[in-house]
Amino acid sequence: MNGERAIPELRVTPDRYLPARYAGASGDFNPIHIDGEFATSVGLPGAILHGLYVMSLVARAATDEAGGDPRSLRRLAVQFRGMSFPEQEIVVSGRLAAEGPDDGSELIELEAAQGETRVIRNASATIKRS
């Protein structure tokens, strides 16, 4: 990533029960997320995390950079590029890439990785600090 300044990394290790809790919160009960046996029967290495959960970590990293107020996140775009799994650390990193137009907003380029797998790439967030 090109940019002027790295933002603090966000490191999260989702516990084994996170997919079930996230399914309850989101209403996405696709068994590839909550049933490891089913997931392997359809060719996956095991139950995988919800992509939107990982996207929420990217949003959190951007919001944290803006001081923690969720209203500071004005726009978020991501590309889902890999699978992620419970009980393995996810690292979200990013850089301030540019200042926005006259409204004082800033553009952050981000990605989320789990080990060598870049789960989310080419993410961008526009924040406006309060």
Side-chain angles (χ1 to χ4, degrees):
M1 281 187 217
N2 296 323
E4 296 178 13
R5 180 176 67 84
I7 66 169
E9 287 183 343
L10 174 65
R11 294 176 172 269
V12 175
T13 303
D15 66 51
R16 65 194 305 195
Y17 304 109
L18 182 283
R21 291 193 311 271
Y22 190 85
S26 68
D28 179 355
F29 290 93
N30 187 325
I32 64 171
H33 300 299
I34 54 179
D35 183 340
E37 190 172 307
F38 177 83
T40 55
S41 75
V42 296
L44 297 171
I48 62 173
L49 293 173
H50 296 76
L52 292 179
Y53 167 75
V54 182
M55 186 177 87
S56 77
L57 297 178
V58 173
R60 181 173 149 197
T63 302
D64 286 353
E65 173 59 21
D69 184 348
R71 295 174 296 181
S72 63
L73 182 61
R74 301 300 170 98
R75 186 188 68 80
L76 178 65
V78 305
Q79 292 181 359
F80 299 101
R81 296 297 185 165
M83 294 181 282
S84 55
F85 304 91
E87 301 184 286
Q88 297 178 32
E89 185 178 58
I90 297 171
V91 179
V92 180
S93 58
R95 294 190 176 280
L96 287 172
E99 291 190 19
D102 297 335
D103 68 351
S105 63
E106 298 171 87
L107 176 67
I108 305 174
E109 296 175 343
L110 304 119
E111 73 174 33
Q114 193 172 51
E116 297 298 317
T117 303
R118 295 166 61 200
V119 180
I120 289 180
R121 289 191 251 173
N122 301 320
S124 64
T126 302
I127 60 169
K128 186 170 182 180
R129 300 173 195 275
S130 50

